[in-house]
Amino acid sequence: NTSRMKVSFYDVDLKVQGMASLEECIDDFFKKEELSGDNQYACDKCSRKVDAERGIELLALPAVLNLQLMRFVYDVKSNARRK
């Protein structure tokens, strides 16, 4: 089974911490996430949780696309943002 959702967008939030280049940031943004174990996908068609992959696929680009470089990360221990 495949689940797809079509969404228009104009902004892409890119993590920069630990990345060496803009290309690496973009690759990380489009990397597929494995949903398994405690993080399984709740399938509406099968009415159960199943292993799956989640990711973003571009169908078309807008005339203007904003790339936001996320320089700060949230630190759970200190309950604050840090660079």
Side-chain angles (χ1 to χ4, degrees):
N1 293 336
T2 301
S3 175
R4 292 185 183 258
M5 182 173 26
K6 212 174 186 180
V7 178
S8 297
F9 68 95
Y10 301 98
D11 300 301
V12 175
D13 297 331
L14 301 174
K15 292 184 281 182
V16 297
Q17 188 170 21
M19 306 293 172
S21 67
L22 181 59
E23 184 176 296
E24 192 175 338
C25 295
I26 293 170
D27 287 344
D28 181 67
F29 181 81
F30 289 105
K31 180 175 61 178
K32 293 193 185 250
E33 177 186 1
E34 183 80 24
L35 302 176
S36 61
D38 291 338
N39 195 28
Q40 283 185 312
Y41 174 72
C43 178
D44 293 333
K45 293 177 184 174
C46 338
S47 299
R48 63 186 177 96
K49 291 193 171 190
V50 296
D51 288 346
E53 283 187 337
R54 177 171 57 186
I56 297 173
E57 184 179 290
L58 294 181
L59 302 177
L61 290 173
V64 175
L65 177 64
N66 296 308
L67 300 179
Q68 180 161 329
L69 305 178
M70 297 171 52
R71 299 180 305 123
F72 296 91
V73 293
Y74 179 73
D75 184 359
V76 177
K77 289 182 182 178
S78 66
N79 195 26
R81 291 188 311 165
R82 63 178 173 80
K83 280 189 177 183

